[in-house]
Amino acid sequence: MDLILCHTTADFDALAAAVGLSCLLPGSKIVLSGGAHPPVRDFLALHRDEYPIMERRSVIPEKIRSLRVVDTQHRDRLGKAAEWLELSNIEEIIVYDHHLSQQLTIPATESHIEPVGACTTYIVEELQKQEIALTPVQATVMALGIHVDTGSLTFESATPRDALALAWLMQQGARASVISTYLDPGLSPQLQQLLTEALENLEYFDLLGYTIAWVTIKTDNFVPGLSSLASELVELTEIDALLLANEYTHKEGDLRLTIIGRSQIPGVNLNLLFHIFGGGGHSQAASLSLRQGNTQEILQQLLEGIKTSIPHPPTARDLMSSPVRTIRPETTISQAQRILLRYGHSGLSVVDTQGKLVGIISRRDIDIALHHGFSHAPVKGYMTTKVKSITPDTILPEIQAQMVTYDIGRLPVLENGQLVGIVTRTNVLRELHQAEAENKFPITNSKFKTNLNTELQNRLAPRLWELLTVASQAAEKRGWHLYLVGGAVRDLLLAESAAGTLMISDIDLVVDGFHQAADVGAGVELAKALQKIYSGARLEIHGAFQTAALLWHKDPELDSLWMDIATARTEFYPYPAANPEVEASSIRQDLYRRDFTINALAVRLTSPRPGELLDFCGGLIDLQAKQIRVLHPNSFIEDPTRIYRGVRFAVRFGFEIEAQTKDFIKYAINSGVYDRTAQTNIKTPSLQTRLKAELKYILQAPYGKSALQLLNELGALQCIHPTLKLDKSLVQQLRLLEACLRRFDPQNHLIPWEMRLEALIAHLEPQYRVKVATNLHLPEDGIQRLQNLATAQTQVMELLPTCQRPSQIVQLLRPYDLPMLILTALQTDRTLRRQIWGYLEVLVNVQPLLNGNDLKKLGYKPGPQYRQILDDLLAATVDGLIKDTAEAENFLAQHYPQ
């Protein structure tokens, strides 16, 4: 006998998962271990006969062969059925659940704990895999299970997998009318009376922008459906967390206590809090039942647990953009409009000559003024002067409340009357998005979510960790924040194992000094301070970009390390493919300006909250989804090298480029903007030096072939030249090139990635080659080679077939160096290519049997004839006419008598 066990007081998810399992295991029986929620009980009153449900008292324990437990991992939630777990005749015990934070106390031989909103979802997925069709009544109860446990996909625990499972169940015939009936069955008369009582006695307090409430109701007997009462209370009062306690007398005469918990506060996990008292459930909904206990003491402990679990919300100082872009009241509307366009703002703060805030003007105000022809009018006639403001310590819930109440899109942050920052709707939405990502991103190692500082310390080489510590202390001393940003953070999160040392040779640090000391040279100053401590490092400063770099070369402890230190900045591209113009800004603005979400991650190294992970753009979600997503729609128009970086990351990590990001790439390429900007601007670094740098990364990497294929699919090879495509001919040439490099340059005297780039350019029509090579700043010899390639190819292709003797082949090919012969061979037919290869493999290594010294000893006077004599000796040797020194001397006597 195969049994499927539901936990006591079964809910719809437990029943639904059990029904699904019974379809996967024909002949199995479902056992309700003890009781059911009122809606489940009412549902079964009509539909029990549709499912293979068996009474617990009807089970013969000796005949049980296997047990499957759904929607719980705790044996104490199986009631008296838990006794079957120890039977010797049980062959297997399999647990199916979705509560990730619970501890498995059932002696399972196999377990499936899935990160989904409902246990039923996993069972649905298994049914789909096995292509098992359902009856409408089976599909209906399973849809109910997912609806109830995910709040119809509105709970934070809901996942895309739950939505897909629901869609499939609807295809299987799940009945919406039945689902709606049991999804919200309404309150019974008794519960309605208790609702009135609870509303009259509800107690609450406010903490950090959240409202927490509790109430105790006393009844003569157990009242079914208290969970519905709790949900109704939360909905009616709009509170953020609720503890509903019910004291009642059990039928056996002893006092009992039930507490129902509901929470909508991020960071509060009711399952963990209730587990202390033997209860459990979900992070947002949990319950416990006790035979005895002091209700007020237990409520107080739970309330304290909720208090300590509430994360301190971000303040305006954490959210604000700084420094603030300001204008004077006399600034014209057209000037203000250009500033908005340059920096992508939706509004500007207006200050007087003393820096005091006097108004705000929005993009909407400017658009209206321009529409009416007032482009030369000063902004003071259109700005809002009654400005709502906040302080640096204003918390996020209060900021949200002000924005909603007054319909304000931006709130200036004032400290001692001075404008120190501004919080916009975008800042708020990104913060909320980050909080959602932290709740939903299921990284196996929990340290990624709580203490990246410890993770860094454990994973980095001790000397490298010491360097970061020294840097953070130096930043703190100056009143700055210091962040580890970009690739190092991404690679740390992607590391498969927390064991071992993570090798990092390229580290990016960002200094944010605008909270206490607005110093645009903060990054350079910090780098100079570190160079005094680490005198073995070379210091490079790039003033135009407010960055500095410390470089170690073959250091005994740091090896070859490159550490970039930059001041937090924002940037503006004056035209597509240009170098950006940068200005000092905040860490948030610095991360917003980056290319892809997975690179817009940062870890705070300084106090407070060292180790805090900053993710304002959903990078964690994209890491989980294994996708490359660009931050801004115009990103590829501004900088085409981002296309190459995106492709490089995609093939390197095995990620997919997100669909909309692909659309942005194709739009940028097809728009013709790169051709237009190259024609109108002398300097286009993104199509020149920076593009060459990206090509170097790609062409020297083991994934270079895959990257080129993806670039071709996206049409991105057009960034090199509009006519360049990875057609079959070019693919063949690149494959032959690899064979040539292995065969004729085993010592790597040539630079492989440069040869690959030359092969790409050589595939273009001859008239384009030199311009592209010059544009990409190839070495002079490479440019000359590509300039002369067409002539060399023509000569070789015309004359090589006419060569009758090996010496004629040597005479024809000897003037060309190895790279030229390789490029020539790539574009010839097989017969000629084999002749060139034969020359490179054999003939090029043949030397004359006599040299200049030998000629001198034989009495020949040095002079111009030496070259002709040696050439003739080489030709005779290559052709096999002479084989040793004696024959060589006879050859000389015959052809060059003295």
Side-chain angles (χ1 to χ4, degrees), residues 69-214:
V69 181
V70 296
D71 202 34
T72 185
Q73 301 170 52
H74 293 294
R75 64 178 300 148
D76 56 6
R77 294 204 68 195
L78 298 179
K80 292 185 178 181
E83 300 172 356
W84 299 339
L85 299 173
E86 311 302 333
L87 293 174
S88 60
N89 49 288
I90 301 294
E91 297 176 4
E92 61 178 3
I93 301 174
I94 304 177
V95 172
Y96 300 85
D97 195 20
H98 66 121
H99 302 101
L100 300 180
S101 59
Q102 290 189 4
Q103 183 178 1
L104 181 63
T105 60
I106 294 172
T109 57
E110 185 180 329
S111 62
H112 302 274
I113 316 300
E114 293 292 315
V116 288
C119 183
T120 306
T121 295
Y122 175 69
I123 306 301
V124 168
E125 292 172 343
E126 293 301 304
L127 289 166
Q128 289 176 284
K129 288 178 185 177
Q130 298 188 29
E131 298 182 352
I132 297 176
L134 302 179
T135 65
V137 74
Q138 290 168 336
T140 299
V141 71
M142 296 181 74
L144 267 169
I146 297 175
H147 269 291
V148 171
D149 250 36
T150 65
S152 295
L153 304 178
T154 62
F155 291 167
E156 287 187 1
S157 57
T159 69
R161 292 169 63 181
D162 299 297
L164 291 171
L166 267 179
W168 184 76
L169 291 170
M170 296 300 290
Q171 291 175 338
Q172 295 294 304
R175 295 169 180 167
S177 59
V178 177
I179 293 171
S180 62
T181 299
Y182 292 96
L183 202 56
D184 184 16
L187 299 180
S188 66
Q190 183 182 16
L191 290 177
Q192 291 178 23
Q193 182 179 350
L194 292 175
L195 175 63
T196 302
E197 179 183 336
L199 288 170
E200 292 175 353
N201 296 286
L202 198 65
E203 299 179 76
Y204 62 90
F205 63 84
D206 292 322
L207 179 65
L208 297 175
Y210 298 107
T211 301
I212 297 94
W214 69 98

Side-chain angles (χ1 to χ4, degrees), residues 683-732:
K683 293 183 178 181
T684 53
S686 288
L687 294 170
Q688 297 173 329
T689 52
R690 299 216 308 270
L691 180 57
K692 176 189 175 184
E694 283 301 322
L695 284 166
K696 177 181 178 180
Y697 280 125
I698 289 172
L699 294 175
Q700 69 185 3
Y703 49 76
K705 180 180 178 182
S706 298
L708 287 176
Q709 289 173 340
L710 182 51
L711 286 168
N712 185 64
E713 291 172 11
L714 295 170
L717 292 178
Q718 293 182 41
C719 295
I720 300 174
H721 191 269
T723 64
L724 184 59
K725 293 181 180 179
L726 192 68
D727 53 26
K728 290 183 179 179
S729 174
L730 181 53
V731 171
Q732 170 73 357

Side-chain angles (χ1 to χ4, degrees), residues 378-537:
V379 296
K380 62 183 178 182
Y382 292 87
M383 69 185 186
T384 300
T385 55
K386 294 181 179 180
V387 179
K388 297 291 180 182
S389 64
I390 54 179
T391 70
D393 297 322
T394 305
I395 60 176
L396 177 58
E398 295 176 12
I399 295 172
Q400 286 181 266
Q402 283 211 42
M403 286 185 169
V404 172
T405 301
Y406 301 107
D407 190 23
I408 299 174
R410 59 201 63 82
L411 287 168
V413 183
L414 302 182
E415 187 171 33
N416 299 323
Q418 292 298 309
L419 181 64
V420 295
I422 192 162
V423 177
T424 67
R425 284 195 186 101
T426 300
N427 297 139
V428 171
L429 290 174
R430 280 177 167 153
E431 179 63 32
L432 296 175
H433 180 78
Q434 180 188 12
E436 180 182 357
E438 290 173 352
N439 287 330
K440 286 196 171 185
F441 189 68
I443 302 177
T444 304
N445 190 334
S446 62
K447 289 186 292 185
F448 284 149
K449 300 175 76 172
T450 59
N451 195 344
L452 271 174
N453 206 48
T454 302
E455 179 69 9
L456 281 170
Q457 186 174 3
N458 291 340
R459 296 299 311 281
L460 296 181
R463 183 68 169 161
L464 184 54
W465 170 249
E466 178 187 314
L467 172 60
L468 292 180
T469 303
V470 171
S472 62
Q473 290 171 349
E476 284 185 350
K477 182 179 178 181
R478 292 164 173 78
W480 301 331
H481 294 316
L482 184 65
Y483 298 89
L484 177 67
V485 300
V489 181
R490 177 199 66 222
D491 293 345
L492 177 68
L493 292 169
L494 284 175
E496 294 182 0
S497 170
T501 300
L502 183 64
M503 299 304 297
I504 298 178
S505 59
D506 191 352
I507 287 181
D508 291 326
L509 300 179
V510 169
V511 184
D512 184 356
F514 282 95
H515 291 280
Q516 296 186 34
D519 185 351
V520 296
V524 174
E525 181 179 334
L526 181 61
K528 289 180 177 178
L530 291 175
Q531 207 264 341
K532 291 179 180 179
I533 301 173
Y534 296 92
S535 57

Side-chain angles (χ1 to χ4, degrees), residues 543-560:
F545 296 98
Q546 302 169 10
T547 64
L550 290 172
L551 292 82
W552 288 262
H553 181 63
K554 295 184 178 179
D555 183 87
E557 294 176 303
L558 293 173
D559 197 16
S560 295

Side-chain angles (χ1 to χ4, degrees), residues 24-49:
L24 287 167
L25 190 66
S28 58
K29 298 294 183 181
I30 300 171
V31 175
L32 304 180
S33 300
H37 282 193
V40 176
R41 184 190 58 207
D42 295 343
F43 178 85
L44 287 176
L46 292 176
H47 301 91
R48 176 181 294 268
D49 294 340

